[in-house]
Amino acid sequence: EQASLLKAHFDEHQRETELARRILDHQIRSDLMQQAGVSYSVIPATNFSGDVVLAARAPSGRLYAILADATGHGLSAAVSVLPMVQEFYRLVELSSPLNTVIESINFLLANSLPLGRFVAASFVSLDEAGRSGEIWVGGVPDVLMFDGAGRLERRFAPSNLPLGIMRSNDGVRGIESFAWESRAQLLLTSDGFAEASDTDGVQFGEDRLIETIGRKAPEATLIEALQQALEAHLKGGHAHDD
């Protein structure tokens, strides 16, 4: 009887987990991600990821992208980022300025998340034809900009609080403008990547990340090179964070 009861509880938990995963997956528009042309990878530490990547193009063709990292990991972290998903798509469709996107999402999270929950994030808005962009970094590792040969060209350090901490806009106004002349790539990561530790407790680290990109094979994409380097570093293990 106990075995049957445990199995019934387990089966119900599995059904609820699968339903939650389908709801979360349905929120993120993979078609808009493909149209945006953004390469990405999300590796959850458990069944659900508190990291989310969103990207879409405004009617004008301008590209908007977010890397968000909610407090903790698992289902509770995944639920924390849900309120911002549809708001992001709505604001991009309106071709809203980047500061409006950030302020609106911050207000939404500050009023919907419980105390102690927040979302670190990087926001990027690009005018690819004009070779100019805007970036906002709050609570996540530096955003790195590489040239066509994989050399580190510029870094954008986090100068803002994570989203959802303050209801006012005072902590979300640090938008930085930038431009590029020749082919370049932006890399946004959450702290789970650099902090991924091998069996000896050695973290992957930013230095190894930059070195990996500098020596990646020409035919490999930036994401593929980093995935291979991370797998080799973990030696079959799993990262403790998304």
Side-chain angles (χ1 to χ4, degrees), residues 71 76 79-80 83 109-118 164-165 167:
T71 312
S76 62
V79 170
S80 296
L109 292 175
N111 285 279
S112 62
L113 296 181
L115 188 65
R117 289 280 171 177
F118 52 84
I165 293 179
R167 291 183 178 175

Side-chain angles (χ1 to χ4, degrees), residues 28-93:
I28 298 174
R29 296 280 305 276
S30 58
D31 58 327
L32 295 181
M33 191 81 75
Q34 291 176 352
Q35 292 171 17
V38 172
S39 298
Y40 69 99
S41 176
V42 178
I43 305 172
T46 58
N47 285 329
F48 297 94
S49 175
D51 289 3
V52 65
V53 178
L54 303 173
R57 289 190 183 275
S60 64
R62 191 174 185 89
L63 171 64
Y64 293 76
I66 301 176
L67 168 72
D69 179 6
T71 312
H73 54 267
L75 182 58
S76 62
V79 170
S80 296
V81 298
L82 264 185
M84 67 186 289
V85 175
Q86 295 306 316
E87 182 71 354
F88 169 75
Y89 292 134
R90 183 183 74 83
L91 293 169
V92 171
E93 185 62 29

Side-chain angles (χ1 to χ4, degrees), residues 110-158:
N111 285 279
S112 62
L113 296 181
L115 188 65
R117 289 280 171 177
F118 52 84
V119 179
S122 295
F123 287 72
V124 176
S125 173
L126 299 179
D127 174 8
E128 291 160 290
R131 297 195 173 191
S132 64
E134 294 180 319
I135 192 164
W136 181 96
V137 188
V140 294
D142 293 1
V143 173
L144 305 178
M145 184 170 165
F146 297 89
D147 65 14
R151 292 184 294 264
L152 180 62
E153 195 168 80
R154 186 171 177 181
R155 66 170 65 236
F156 303 90

Side-chain angles (χ1 to χ4, degrees), residues 13-25 48:
H13 172 72
Q14 290 293 92
R15 285 194 296 271
E16 290 180 347
T17 298
E18 182 57 31
L19 176 59
R21 184 182 291 107
R22 286 167 57 194
I23 291 172
L24 291 168
D25 289 345
F48 297 94

Side-chain angles (χ1 to χ4, degrees), residues 43 51 67 69 140-142 144 155 187-198 201-210 212 226 229-230 233-234 239-242:
I43 305 172
D51 289 3
L67 168 72
D69 179 6
V140 294
D142 293 1
L144 305 178
R155 66 170 65 236
L187 176 66
L188 290 66
T189 62
S190 66
D191 56 5
F193 192 91
E195 294 175 3
S197 301
D198 63 11
V202 178
Q203 295 186 345
F204 189 86
E206 187 190 78
D207 291 343
R208 197 190 311 268
L209 183 153
I210 294 172
T212 298
L226 290 175
L230 180 62
H233 177 72
L234 292 176
H240 73 281
D241 194 9
D242 304 321

Side-chain angles (χ1 to χ4, degrees), residues 154-215:
R154 186 171 177 181
R155 66 170 65 236
F156 303 90
S159 57
N160 304 278
L161 292 172
L163 302 170
I165 293 179
M166 297 178 63
R167 291 183 178 175
S168 71
N169 294 324
D170 294 339
V172 296
R173 288 181 173 155
I175 293 177
E176 190 171 352
S177 298
F178 65 100
W180 65 95
E181 294 182 1
S182 56
R183 182 176 178 271
Q185 287 184 303
L186 281 174
L187 176 66
L188 290 66
T189 62
S190 66
D191 56 5
F193 192 91
E195 294 175 3
S197 301
D198 63 11
T199 52
D200 297 321
V202 178
Q203 295 186 345
F204 189 86
E206 187 190 78
D207 291 343
R208 197 190 311 268
L209 183 153
I210 294 172
E211 178 188 345
T212 298
I213 294 171
R215 59 177 171 78

